[in-house]
Amino acid sequence: MTTTQNVNQVDLAAIGALVRTIQSRPEAAQTRWAASVRWTGAFASEAQVRDFEPIASDEPLTLGGADAAPNPVEQLLGAFGNCLAVGYAANATLAGIVIRDLRIDLDGDLDLHTFLGLADGHAGFSAIRATVHLDTDADPGAVAELHRKVAATSPVGHTLSAAIPVEVKPA
């Protein structure tokens, strides 16, 4: 493990402080995240997360939207890719692996029958694929271990691959 503070522009001191806090107070690892979504008309909406600008969502023209923003399933793919990118940056940095470039291409298969009310069944993705393009000088064994570790620890990846309770209720 390297102690250099500037590998991949990751603040190792901040990560180290978080790890030490959780080691000394395990309850600090239990976190809650939130978003608030507001419908803006037709098939458009926007998600408000913390104090950031709202994240727009819309459907493509073929699904009745105005195609003014990515739709929710595209955002889900993006969220998974973003989570993987964080995992690569964190784990590569801890292993002393310098990332010259990282790109993650994602796609997924979704059958619209259930969404459109034409059939009962699963309305979500039946498969999601992520292809990681990593440019580094690290040896192949270290890169293979990095891929394994990132896939094994992605919070969004785990959420997508496991059945978890989801509750939708009126206020």
Side-chain angles (χ1 to χ4, degrees), residues 14-38:
I15 299 299
L18 176 61
V19 168
R20 287 187 299 279
T21 296
I22 291 172
Q23 287 173 330
S24 66
R25 292 186 310 107
E27 70 277 6
Q30 302 306 313
T31 61
R32 179 172 284 196
W33 302 89
S36 179
V37 174
R38 183 177 68 87

Side-chain angles (χ1 to χ4, degrees), residues 7 16 22 38 68 79 84 116 124 158 171:
V7 175
I22 291 172
R38 183 177 68 87
L84 291 172
L116 295 172
H158 278 215

Side-chain angles (χ1 to χ4, degrees), residues 59-67:
E59 291 294 336
L61 296 172
T62 56
L63 292 177
D67 204 21

Side-chain angles (χ1 to χ4, degrees), residues 44-45 55-60 66-72 74-75:
S45 58
I55 302 164
S57 178
D58 195 8
E59 291 294 336
D67 204 21
N71 75 9
E74 292 166 324
Q75 291 183 32

